[in-house]
Amino acid sequence: MREIIDARGLACPQPVLLARKALEAHERVVVMVDNAAAVENVRRLGAKMGCEIVVEDKGGGIVHLHLTRDAAAPAEAAPGEPAVCAPAGGGTYVVALPENRMGRGNAELGDVLMKAFVHTLTQLDPLPGKVICYNAGIFLALDDSPVLEDLRQLKDAGVEILVCGTCLNFFGVADRLAVGSVSNMYEIAGSMTEARVVSP
């Protein structure tokens, strides 16, 4: 029998938390959501938990995600590793970007410094494991970002780029995301608590 989770109208990270809890107890789960960020976050959770995933568009903005977990796969993530916070191919530290410019004071200088900072990340050894963009930092991952190519270079090198879905929706720019994965506060908080966090 399948478990049905109605996560419509719930803010991040509730859809992910409910889906994860249901998958720990059931092999077949259907999660009902009503926004693109929730679709992506639940889909990524299912993938990390080894599920077969079918996304069904019901119309009117409603999407049903059918998650079927392999009975032979573990129902939970390894101890200390949340299901949606698997480490990426980079190093053991996380870079948090809560702003689209670096420091306070002169805005033009802040733009120059941020561009230099992100470019410098591509030259470090080791590279960060993850780069997290939230609040105004999400603008760095959009299609007109001055650091877009550097972020793409980091992604191609195995660095996971996480972009806050709630922030994308708040600013109305979800359709302009050009690099990285739509993320949620559960994954962001988990990533920050599992690694050393660097923020410019």
Side-chain angles (χ1 to χ4, degrees):
M1 177 179 290
R2 63 182 182 175
E3 178 76 1
I4 299 176
I5 302 297
D6 187 352
R8 292 174 296 178
L10 298 181
C12 160
Q14 287 303 311
V16 170
L17 296 175
L18 292 172
R20 183 171 186 260
K21 184 176 180 180
L23 283 168
E24 289 173 352
H26 305 276
E27 291 178 16
R28 297 177 61 205
V29 174
V30 178
V31 185
M32 303 162 59
V33 297
D34 57 4
N35 66 83
V39 172
E40 178 63 16
N41 287 326
V42 173
R43 185 194 64 76
R44 292 177 66 223
L45 168 72
K48 288 182 184 290
M49 294 187 74
C51 296
E52 177 184 337
I53 305 161
V54 175
V55 179
E56 182 184 7
D57 188 344
K58 303 296 284 188
I62 306 300
V63 175
H64 291 188
L65 292 103
H66 300 259
L67 309 175
T68 304
R69 181 172 52 79
D70 185 344
E76 300 183 23
E81 181 183 343
V84 295
C85 299
T92 58
Y93 64 99
V94 168
V95 174
L97 300 176
E99 300 282 349
N100 56 343
R101 56 177 48 105
M102 188 173 183
R104 298 179 179 175
N106 185 275
E108 183 179 355
L109 176 60
D111 291 340
V112 171
L113 293 175
M114 180 58 78
K115 187 173 182 179
F117 177 79
V118 175
H119 179 71
T120 301
L121 289 178
T122 68
Q123 309 301 309
L124 296 181
D125 184 18
L127 295 172
K130 299 180 183 181
V131 172
I132 301 173
C133 301
Y134 58 95
N135 207 325
I138 64 154
F139 289 97
L140 297 172
L142 300 187
D143 51 14
D144 63 348
S145 167
V147 300
L148 182 58
E149 292 310 312
D150 285 323
L151 288 179
R152 284 176 170 163
Q153 182 177 335
L154 288 168
K155 182 177 181 294
D156 290 344
V159 178
E160 193 171 3
I161 311 295
L162 302 179
V163 185
C164 170
T166 298
C167 306
L168 288 168
N169 290 336
F170 179 85
F171 289 112
V173 294
D175 60 334
R176 293 179 49 206
L177 182 64
V179 64
S181 302
V182 177
S183 188
N184 59 80
M185 194 52 65
Y186 178 72
E187 183 172 21
I188 289 171
S191 298
M192 288 183 167
T193 59
E194 292 178 339
R196 179 169 56 93
V197 178
V198 176
S199 186

